[in-house]
Amino acid sequence: MEKKPPSARTEASPVSPALLLAAVLLLNAVLYLGLNGLYTSSGRAETDSGLCPFGYFRLGAGKNCSPWLSCEAIGREVRRLKCVGEGAVKKAFLSEWKENKVVISQLTNSELKEDFLHGLKMLKALQSKYVVRLLGYCEQQFTILTEYHPLGSLRGLNETLHIPKYKGMNTWHRRLMLAIDYVSIIRYLHSSPLGTLVMCDSNDLEKVLSQYLLTSDFHVLVNDLDALPLVNRSAGKLVKCGHRELRGDFVAPEQRWPYGEEVPFEDDLMPPYDEKTDIWKIPDVTNFFLGHVEGSDIVRLHLFDIHAACKKTDPAERPSAQQVLDTYRKVLILLIREAAVPGTREML
């Protein structure tokens, strides 16, 4: 009887589960970043192909686009359920429209109606995959209708990740992806269809986190666009975030009163600044995203240089949001590759 060659009897070596997991993570990251890159390479305003034409919206798994709801339609078809939040400008109500949960935002301070209307203008103009979906509005009644996201603002991220249902999301790579989403939004605002916009509602970490929503599929959307002034360098137009003195290390150095304690603050004497104030704050926000899970310190180590650049005192020396985003993406891919090679992390 003829013997089979040894190669025919050789069995394939079992694949390490850790290697399989790393391969899956790497594939997911490549797909995630590759799809994200479709929006950055295009000359258009990063409009999601799943979105409807301007003035229309689609909810959930629905295939048809509906026109933004008018004052009459909101009054007739939308039922308020309960208050779910309140800020300086408006109050938010969980509501229902055709068996869909939605949110009605209502102006609460008439002195801030210009801020409210500015936020509505921005919301209409910036509809994209980065911005909460607008469903309708009524300027006469200072009412805005948007999509509902049950996980709420980013302030509750850590609490959400400790819920048994979401504990599987509490990993360094998922947290880094959330930071990538955040920086993607900043990059979008800095190169928006309207020009370079500065996220001014960002004087402390809690305030920043309250401006963004966490979606059920764990992405980040910007929700509050009430304070979004325009930088126009060609016209020599810079911005100031409000008319009061800003203090603390969270705000950028150029946002602080430059003339010392002996000179009382005067808004007219306060120098304006540009969008690099947003860059200064990125490391602090990302530090919150990363939390204290296994692997997060390794991520921080890899982001050390770009974060140090973000904290340059001279705004002109800070990187652009695009440069920060590119670095974050490279670090995500690099670290997932390292996780696939045993012993790599010990070598760092």
Side-chain angles (χ1 to χ4, degrees), residues 226-257:
D226 293 345
L228 209 61
L230 178 69
V231 169
N232 188 340
R233 282 193 182 81
S234 60
K237 182 181 178 183
L238 300 178
V239 305
K240 287 191 285 188
C241 291
H243 305 287
R244 295 179 295 176
E245 182 178 1
L246 301 178
R247 296 175 179 268
D249 293 336
F250 188 83
V251 296
E254 64 271 22
Q255 292 184 281
R256 302 173 211 151
W257 180 241

PDB file of all heavy atoms in Angstrom, residues 226-257:
ATOM      1  N   ASP A 226     -25.772  76.343  19.319  1.00  0.00           N
ATOM      2  CA  ASP A 226     -26.215  77.711  19.605  1.00  0.00           C
ATOM      3  C   ASP A 226     -25.072  78.719  19.567  1.00  0.00           C
ATOM      4  O   ASP A 226     -25.279  79.886  19.252  1.00  0.00           O
ATOM      5  CB  ASP A 226     -26.875  77.772  20.993  1.00  0.00           C
ATOM      6  CG  ASP A 226     -28.174  76.986  21.045  1.00  0.00           C
ATOM      7  OD1 ASP A 226     -28.699  76.646  19.964  1.00  0.00           O
ATOM      8  OD2 ASP A 226     -28.654  76.707  22.150  1.00  0.00           O
ATOM      9  N   ALA A 227     -23.855  78.264  19.937  1.00  0.00           N
ATOM     10  CA  ALA A 227     -22.703  79.174  20.018  1.00  0.00           C
ATOM     11  C   ALA A 227     -21.635  78.700  19.046  1.00  0.00           C
ATOM     12  O   ALA A 227     -20.718  77.973  19.410  1.00  0.00           O
ATOM     13  CB  ALA A 227     -22.170  79.228  21.443  1.00  0.00           C
ATOM     14  N   LEU A 228     -21.774  79.105  17.799  1.00  0.00           N
ATOM     15  CA  LEU A 228     -20.902  78.614  16.740  1.00  0.00           C
ATOM     16  C   LEU A 228     -20.512  79.769  15.810  1.00  0.00           C
ATOM     17  O   LEU A 228     -20.953  79.836  14.665  1.00  0.00           O
ATOM     18  CB  LEU A 228     -21.634  77.521  15.962  1.00  0.00           C
ATOM     19  CG  LEU A 228     -20.819  76.420  15.311  1.00  0.00           C
ATOM     20  CD1 LEU A 228     -20.026  75.627  16.338  1.00  0.00           C
ATOM     21  CD2 LEU A 228     -21.724  75.481  14.536  1.00  0.00           C
ATOM     22  N   PRO A 229     -19.658  80.684  16.279  1.00  0.00           N
ATOM     23  CA  PRO A 229     -19.287  81.836  15.451  1.00  0.00           C
ATOM     24  C   PRO A 229     -18.330  81.449  14.324  1.00  0.00           C
ATOM     25  O   PRO A 229     -17.685  80.397  14.361  1.00  0.00           O
ATOM     26  CB  PRO A 229     -18.618  82.780  16.447  1.00  0.00           C
ATOM     27  CG  PRO A 229     -18.083  81.892  17.509  1.00  0.00           C
ATOM     28  CD  PRO A 229     -19.064  80.753  17.622  1.00  0.00           C
ATOM     29  N   LEU A 230     -18.228  82.339  13.352  1.00  0.00           N
ATOM     30  CA  LEU A 230     -17.470  82.095  12.123  1.00  0.00           C
ATOM     31  C   LEU A 230     -16.151  82.864  12.126  1.00  0.00           C
ATOM     32  O   LEU A 230     -16.119  84.062  12.403  1.00  0.00           O
ATOM     33  CB  LEU A 230     -18.314  82.510  10.915  1.00  0.00           C
ATOM     34  CG  LEU A 230     -17.687  82.382   9.522  1.00  0.00           C
ATOM     35  CD1 LEU A 230     -17.523  80.916   9.149  1.00  0.00           C
ATOM     36  CD2 LEU A 230     -18.568  83.100   8.487  1.00  0.00           C
ATOM     37  N   VAL A 231     -15.076  82.156  11.811  1.00  0.00           N
ATOM     38  CA  VAL A 231     -13.773  82.784  11.585  1.00  0.00           C
ATOM     39  C   VAL A 231     -13.628  83.027  10.094  1.00  0.00           C
ATOM     40  O   VAL A 231     -13.860  82.120   9.289  1.00  0.00           O
ATOM     41  CB  VAL A 231     -12.624  81.877  12.075  1.00  0.00           C
ATOM     42  CG1 VAL A 231     -11.275  82.416  11.604  1.00  0.00           C
ATOM     43  CG2 VAL A 231     -12.636  81.763  13.590  1.00  0.00           C
ATOM     44  N   ASN A 232     -13.259  84.242   9.722  1.00  0.00           N
ATOM     45  CA  ASN A 232     -13.032  84.573   8.311  1.00  0.00           C
ATOM     46  C   ASN A 232     -11.705  85.315   8.207  1.00  0.00           C
ATOM     47  O   ASN A 232     -11.644  86.532   8.314  1.00  0.00           O
ATOM     48  CB  ASN A 232     -14.180  85.427   7.769  1.00  0.00           C
ATOM     49  CG  ASN A 232     -14.080  85.629   6.256  1.00  0.00           C
ATOM     50  OD1 ASN A 232     -13.015  85.467   5.663  1.00  0.00           O
ATOM     51  ND2 ASN A 232     -15.199  85.984   5.642  1.00  0.00           N
ATOM     52  N   ARG A 233     -10.635  84.553   8.033  1.00  0.00           N
ATOM     53  CA  ARG A 233      -9.301  85.160   8.033  1.00  0.00           C
ATOM     54  C   ARG A 233      -9.112  86.151   6.899  1.00  0.00           C
ATOM     55  O   ARG A 233      -8.474  87.184   7.062  1.00  0.00           O
ATOM     56  CB  ARG A 233      -8.236  84.066   7.929  1.00  0.00           C
ATOM     57  CG  ARG A 233      -7.996  83.345   9.234  1.00  0.00           C
ATOM     58  CD  ARG A 233      -6.726  82.502   9.162  1.00  0.00           C
ATOM     59  NE  ARG A 233      -6.543  81.772  10.403  1.00  0.00           N
ATOM     60  CZ  ARG A 233      -7.152  80.648  10.701  1.00  0.00           C
ATOM     61  NH1 ARG A 233      -8.026  80.130   9.851  1.00  0.00           N
ATOM     62  NH2 ARG A 233      -6.945  80.041  11.849  1.00  0.00           N
ATOM     63  N   SER A 234      -9.651  85.838   5.718  1.00  0.00           N
ATOM     64  CA  SER A 234      -9.470  86.734   4.575  1.00  0.00           C
ATOM     65  C   SER A 234     -10.094  88.100   4.829  1.00  0.00           C
ATOM     66  O   SER A 234      -9.639  89.113   4.300  1.00  0.00           O
ATOM     67  CB  SER A 234     -10.062  86.107   3.307  1.00  0.00           C
ATOM     68  OG  SER A 234     -11.451  85.869   3.468  1.00  0.00           O
ATOM     69  N   ALA A 235     -11.142  88.126   5.658  1.00  0.00           N
ATOM     70  CA  ALA A 235     -11.791  89.394   6.002  1.00  0.00           C
ATOM     71  C   ALA A 235     -11.285  89.936   7.341  1.00  0.00           C
ATOM     72  O   ALA A 235     -11.792  90.933   7.840  1.00  0.00           O
ATOM     73  CB  ALA A 235     -13.308  89.213   6.045  1.00  0.00           C
ATOM     74  N   GLY A 236     -10.293  89.243   7.932  1.00  0.00           N
ATOM     75  CA  GLY A 236      -9.756  89.676   9.218  1.00  0.00           C
ATOM     76  C   GLY A 236     -10.724  89.505  10.371  1.00  0.00           C
ATOM     77  O   GLY A 236     -10.632  90.205  11.384  1.00  0.00           O
ATOM     78  N   LYS A 237     -11.653  88.541  10.233  1.00  0.00           N
ATOM     79  CA  LYS A 237     -12.669  88.356  11.262  1.00  0.00           C
ATOM     80  C   LYS A 237     -12.328  87.171  12.154  1.00  0.00           C
ATOM     81  O   LYS A 237     -12.299  86.027  11.709  1.00  0.00           O
ATOM     82  CB  LYS A 237     -14.040  88.141  10.612  1.00  0.00           C
ATOM     83  CG  LYS A 237     -15.173  87.981  11.612  1.00  0.00           C
ATOM     84  CD  LYS A 237     -16.500  87.736  10.907  1.00  0.00           C
ATOM     85  CE  LYS A 237     -17.631  87.536  11.902  1.00  0.00           C
ATOM     86  NZ  LYS A 237     -18.915  87.228  11.238  1.00  0.00           N
ATOM     87  N   LEU A 238     -12.071  87.444  13.433  1.00  0.00           N
ATOM     88  CA  LEU A 238     -11.861  86.403  14.428  1.00  0.00           C
ATOM     89  C   LEU A 238     -13.057  86.383  15.369  1.00  0.00           C
ATOM     90  O   LEU A 238     -14.043  87.076  15.124  1.00  0.00           O
ATOM     91  CB  LEU A 238     -10.552  86.656  15.181  1.00  0.00           C
ATOM     92  CG  LEU A 238      -9.285  86.680  14.306  1.00  0.00           C
ATOM     93  CD1 LEU A 238      -8.060  86.980  15.145  1.00  0.00           C
ATOM     94  CD2 LEU A 238      -9.106  85.358  13.560  1.00  0.00           C
ATOM     95  N   VAL A 239     -12.995  85.604  16.439  1.00  0.00           N
ATOM     96  CA  VAL A 239     -14.169  85.430  17.300  1.00  0.00           C
ATOM     97  C   VAL A 239     -13.816  85.638  18.761  1.00  0.00           C
ATOM     98  O   VAL A 239     -12.645  85.623  19.152  1.00  0.00           O
ATOM     99  CB  VAL A 239     -14.795  84.019  17.125  1.00  0.00           C
ATOM    100  CG1 VAL A 239     -15.121  83.751  15.668  1.00  0.00           C
ATOM    101  CG2 VAL A 239     -13.869  82.944  17.672  1.00  0.00           C
ATOM    102  N   LYS A 240     -14.850  85.814  19.563  1.00  0.00           N
ATOM    103  CA  LYS A 240     -14.748  85.774  21.019  1.00  0.00           C
ATOM    104  C   LYS A 240     -15.923  84.956  21.527  1.00  0.00           C
ATOM    105  O   LYS A 240     -17.057  85.164  21.094  1.00  0.00           O
ATOM    106  CB  LYS A 240     -14.764  87.181  21.626  1.00  0.00           C
ATOM    107  CG  LYS A 240     -13.478  87.952  21.404  1.00  0.00           C
ATOM    108  CD  LYS A 240     -13.412  89.224  22.232  1.00  0.00           C
ATOM    109  CE  LYS A 240     -14.300  90.307  21.681  1.00  0.00           C
ATOM    110  NZ  LYS A 240     -14.080  91.601  22.386  1.00  0.00           N
ATOM    111  N   CYS A 241     -15.646  84.031  22.445  1.00  0.00           N
ATOM    112  CA  CYS A 241     -16.700  83.150  22.958  1.00  0.00           C
ATOM    113  C   CYS A 241     -17.386  83.822  24.140  1.00  0.00           C
ATOM    114  O   CYS A 241     -17.032  83.582  25.302  1.00  0.00           O
ATOM    115  CB  CYS A 241     -16.117  81.799  23.340  1.00  0.00           C
ATOM    116  SG  CYS A 241     -15.572  80.824  21.922  1.00  0.00           S
ATOM    117  N   GLY A 242     -18.364  84.656  23.833  1.00  0.00           N
ATOM    118  CA  GLY A 242     -19.104  85.362  24.867  1.00  0.00           C
ATOM    119  C   GLY A 242     -18.458  86.687  25.227  1.00  0.00           C
ATOM    120  O   GLY A 242     -17.437  87.090  24.659  1.00  0.00           O
ATOM    121  N   HIS A 243     -19.075  87.347  26.192  1.00  0.00           N
ATOM    122  CA  HIS A 243     -18.630  88.688  26.583  1.00  0.00           C
ATOM    123  C   HIS A 243     -18.154  88.743  28.022  1.00  0.00           C
ATOM    124  O   HIS A 243     -17.967  89.820  28.576  1.00  0.00           O
ATOM    125  CB  HIS A 243     -19.778  89.687  26.383  1.00  0.00           C
ATOM    126  CG  HIS A 243     -20.325  89.677  24.980  1.00  0.00           C
ATOM    127  ND1 HIS A 243     -19.633  90.220  23.920  1.00  0.00           N
ATOM    128  CD2 HIS A 243     -21.474  89.164  24.462  1.00  0.00           C
ATOM    129  CE1 HIS A 243     -20.338  90.054  22.801  1.00  0.00           C
ATOM    130  NE2 HIS A 243     -21.462  89.415  23.108  1.00  0.00           N
ATOM    131  N   ARG A 244     -17.960  87.566  28.621  1.00  0.00           N
ATOM    132  CA  ARG A 244     -17.491  87.520  30.006  1.00  0.00           C
ATOM    133  C   ARG A 244     -16.074  86.966  30.062  1.00  0.00           C
ATOM    134  O   ARG A 244     -15.632  86.274  29.140  1.00  0.00           O
ATOM    135  CB  ARG A 244     -18.423  86.649  30.856  1.00  0.00           C
ATOM    136  CG  ARG A 244     -19.833  87.204  30.996  1.00  0.00           C
ATOM    137  CD  ARG A 244     -20.703  86.283  31.833  1.00  0.00           C
ATOM    138  NE  ARG A 244     -20.910  84.994  31.177  1.00  0.00           N
ATOM    139  CZ  ARG A 244     -21.568  83.981  31.724  1.00  0.00           C
ATOM    140  NH1 ARG A 244     -22.064  84.098  32.946  1.00  0.00           N
ATOM    141  NH2 ARG A 244     -21.715  82.856  31.072  1.00  0.00           N
ATOM    142  N   GLU A 245     -15.396  87.234  31.170  1.00  0.00           N
ATOM    143  CA  GLU A 245     -14.044  86.726  31.335  1.00  0.00           C
ATOM    144  C   GLU A 245     -14.068  85.209  31.520  1.00  0.00           C
ATOM    145  O   GLU A 245     -14.870  84.675  32.279  1.00  0.00           O
ATOM    146  CB  GLU A 245     -13.383  87.381  32.556  1.00  0.00           C
ATOM    147  CG  GLU A 245     -11.942  86.932  32.760  1.00  0.00           C
ATOM    148  CD  GLU A 245     -11.260  87.610  33.925  1.00  0.00           C
ATOM    149  OE1 GLU A 245     -11.911  88.429  34.607  1.00  0.00           O
ATOM    150  OE2 GLU A 245     -10.074  87.306  34.155  1.00  0.00           O
ATOM    151  N   LEU A 246     -13.170  84.528  30.803  1.00  0.00           N
ATOM    152  CA  LEU A 246     -13.040  83.083  30.908  1.00  0.00           C
ATOM    153  C   LEU A 246     -11.801  82.748  31.729  1.00  0.00           C
ATOM    154  O   LEU A 246     -10.741  83.347  31.544  1.00  0.00           O
ATOM    155  CB  LEU A 246     -12.926  82.448  29.518  1.00  0.00           C
ATOM    156  CG  LEU A 246     -14.096  82.697  28.562  1.00  0.00           C
ATOM    157  CD1 LEU A 246     -13.829  82.048  27.211  1.00  0.00           C
ATOM    158  CD2 LEU A 246     -15.402  82.182  29.156  1.00  0.00           C
ATOM    159  N   ARG A 247     -11.942  81.785  32.626  1.00  0.00           N
ATOM    160  CA  ARG A 247     -10.831  81.399  33.495  1.00  0.00           C
ATOM    161  C   ARG A 247     -10.621  79.887  33.448  1.00  0.00           C
ATOM    162  O   ARG A 247     -11.497  79.148  33.010  1.00  0.00           O
ATOM    163  CB  ARG A 247     -11.107  81.824  34.945  1.00  0.00           C
ATOM    164  CG  ARG A 247     -11.215  83.332  35.160  1.00  0.00           C
ATOM    165  CD  ARG A 247     -11.599  83.634  36.597  1.00  0.00           C
ATOM    166  NE  ARG A 247     -11.695  85.063  36.868  1.00  0.00           N
ATOM    167  CZ  ARG A 247     -10.706  85.812  37.323  1.00  0.00           C
ATOM    168  NH1 ARG A 247      -9.519  85.241  37.568  1.00  0.00           N
ATOM    169  NH2 ARG A 247     -10.874  87.096  37.549  1.00  0.00           N
ATOM    170  N   GLY A 248      -9.476  79.463  33.961  1.00  0.00           N
ATOM    171  CA  GLY A 248      -9.213  78.033  34.090  1.00  0.00           C
ATOM    172  C   GLY A 248      -8.318  77.492  32.993  1.00  0.00           C
ATOM    173  O   GLY A 248      -8.197  78.076  31.913  1.00  0.00           O
ATOM    174  N   ASP A 249      -7.697  76.345  33.274  1.00  0.00           N
ATOM    175  CA  ASP A 249      -6.761  75.740  32.323  1.00  0.00           C
ATOM    176  C   ASP A 249      -7.457  75.055  31.160  1.00  0.00           C
ATOM    177  O   ASP A 249      -6.819  74.761  30.147  1.00  0.00           O
ATOM    178  CB  ASP A 249      -5.878  74.710  33.047  1.00  0.00           C
ATOM    179  CG  ASP A 249      -4.930  75.359  34.051  1.00  0.00           C
ATOM    180  OD1 ASP A 249      -4.620  76.557  33.868  1.00  0.00           O
ATOM    181  OD2 ASP A 249      -4.516  74.680  35.014  1.00  0.00           O
ATOM    182  N   PHE A 250      -8.757  74.772  31.293  1.00  0.00           N
ATOM    183  CA  PHE A 250      -9.443  74.081  30.207  1.00  0.00           C
ATOM    184  C   PHE A 250      -9.548  74.966  28.971  1.00  0.00           C
ATOM    185  O   PHE A 250      -9.379  74.499  27.849  1.00  0.00           O
ATOM    186  CB  PHE A 250     -10.838  73.626  30.655  1.00  0.00           C
ATOM    187  CG  PHE A 250     -11.516  72.741  29.640  1.00  0.00           C
ATOM    188  CD1 PHE A 250     -11.236  71.381  29.583  1.00  0.00           C
ATOM    189  CD2 PHE A 250     -12.428  73.261  28.731  1.00  0.00           C
ATOM    190  CE1 PHE A 250     -11.849  70.560  28.641  1.00  0.00           C
ATOM    191  CE2 PHE A 250     -13.044  72.456  27.788  1.00  0.00           C
ATOM    192  CZ  PHE A 250     -12.754  71.097  27.743  1.00  0.00           C
ATOM    193  N   VAL A 251      -9.845  76.255  29.163  1.00  0.00           N
ATOM    194  CA  VAL A 251      -9.912  77.158  28.008  1.00  0.00           C
ATOM    195  C   VAL A 251      -8.503  77.484  27.550  1.00  0.00           C
ATOM    196  O   VAL A 251      -7.546  77.465  28.323  1.00  0.00           O
ATOM    197  CB  VAL A 251     -10.711  78.444  28.321  1.00  0.00           C
ATOM    198  CG1 VAL A 251     -12.154  78.115  28.632  1.00  0.00           C
ATOM    199  CG2 VAL A 251     -10.077  79.228  29.453  1.00  0.00           C
ATOM    200  N   ALA A 252      -8.366  77.805  26.278  1.00  0.00           N
ATOM    201  CA  ALA A 252      -7.051  78.075  25.699  1.00  0.00           C
ATOM    202  C   ALA A 252      -6.456  79.370  26.271  1.00  0.00           C
ATOM    203  O   ALA A 252      -7.202  80.264  26.684  1.00  0.00           O
ATOM    204  CB  ALA A 252      -7.179  78.179  24.184  1.00  0.00           C
ATOM    205  N   PRO A 253      -5.129  79.488  26.290  1.00  0.00           N
ATOM    206  CA  PRO A 253      -4.492  80.696  26.842  1.00  0.00           C
ATOM    207  C   PRO A 253      -4.986  81.983  26.208  1.00  0.00           C
ATOM    208  O   PRO A 253      -5.156  82.994  26.899  1.00  0.00           O
ATOM    209  CB  PRO A 253      -3.005  80.461  26.538  1.00  0.00           C
ATOM    210  CG  PRO A 253      -2.856  78.992  26.438  1.00  0.00           C
ATOM    211  CD  PRO A 253      -4.144  78.484  25.874  1.00  0.00           C
ATOM    212  N   GLU A 254      -5.235  81.957  24.895  1.00  0.00           N
ATOM    213  CA  GLU A 254      -5.677  83.182  24.212  1.00  0.00           C
ATOM    214  C   GLU A 254      -7.106  83.559  24.563  1.00  0.00           C
ATOM    215  O   GLU A 254      -7.559  84.670  24.238  1.00  0.00           O
ATOM    216  CB  GLU A 254      -5.520  83.033  22.691  1.00  0.00           C
ATOM    217  CG  GLU A 254      -6.374  81.958  22.046  1.00  0.00           C
ATOM    218  CD  GLU A 254      -5.719  80.586  22.009  1.00  0.00           C
ATOM    219  OE1 GLU A 254      -4.814  80.337  22.824  1.00  0.00           O
ATOM    220  OE2 GLU A 254      -6.130  79.775  21.157  1.00  0.00           O
ATOM    221  N   GLN A 255      -7.840  82.664  25.236  1.00  0.00           N
ATOM    222  CA  GLN A 255      -9.192  82.987  25.672  1.00  0.00           C
ATOM    223  C   GLN A 255      -9.220  83.647  27.053  1.00  0.00           C
ATOM    224  O   GLN A 255     -10.269  84.094  27.489  1.00  0.00           O
ATOM    225  CB  GLN A 255     -10.049  81.714  25.711  1.00  0.00           C
ATOM    226  CG  GLN A 255     -10.341  81.103  24.344  1.00  0.00           C
ATOM    227  CD  GLN A 255     -11.274  79.920  24.448  1.00  0.00           C
ATOM    228  OE1 GLN A 255     -10.859  78.810  24.803  1.00  0.00           O
ATOM    229  NE2 GLN A 255     -12.537  80.135  24.144  1.00  0.00           N
ATOM    230  N   ARG A 256      -8.072  83.680  27.710  1.00  0.00           N
ATOM    231  CA  ARG A 256      -8.003  84.259  29.053  1.00  0.00           C
ATOM    232  C   ARG A 256      -7.579  85.721  28.980  1.00  0.00           C
ATOM    233  O   ARG A 256      -6.878  86.138  28.062  1.00  0.00           O
ATOM    234  CB  ARG A 256      -7.027  83.460  29.926  1.00  0.00           C
ATOM    235  CG  ARG A 256      -7.395  81.983  30.043  1.00  0.00           C
ATOM    236  CD  ARG A 256      -6.305  81.196  30.764  1.00  0.00           C
ATOM    237  NE  ARG A 256      -6.248  79.812  30.275  1.00  0.00           N
ATOM    238  CZ  ARG A 256      -5.161  79.082  30.260  1.00  0.00           C
ATOM    239  NH1 ARG A 256      -4.008  79.567  30.697  1.00  0.00           N
ATOM    240  NH2 ARG A 256      -5.204  77.840  29.802  1.00  0.00           N
ATOM    241  N   TRP A 257      -8.011  86.475  29.955  1.00  0.00           N
ATOM    242  CA  TRP A 257      -7.690  87.903  30.041  1.00  0.00           C
ATOM    243  C   TRP A 257      -6.171  88.079  30.097  1.00  0.00           C
ATOM    244  O   TRP A 257      -5.509  87.552  30.993  1.00  0.00           O
ATOM    245  CB  TRP A 257      -8.357  88.480  31.281  1.00  0.00           C
ATOM    246  CG  TRP A 257      -8.136  89.929  31.538  1.00  0.00           C
ATOM    247  CD1 TRP A 257      -7.530  90.479  32.634  1.00  0.00           C
ATOM    248  CD2 TRP A 257      -8.569  91.029  30.731  1.00  0.00           C
ATOM    249  NE1 TRP A 257      -7.538  91.852  32.558  1.00  0.00           N
ATOM    250  CE2 TRP A 257      -8.170  92.230  31.382  1.00  0.00           C
ATOM    251  CE3 TRP A 257      -9.230  91.138  29.514  1.00  0.00           C
ATOM    252  CZ2 TRP A 257      -8.415  93.494  30.874  1.00  0.00           C
ATOM    253  CZ3 TRP A 257      -9.489  92.397  29.003  1.00  0.00           C
ATOM    254  CH2 TRP A 257      -9.092  93.560  29.666  1.00  0.00           C
TER     255      TRP A 257
END
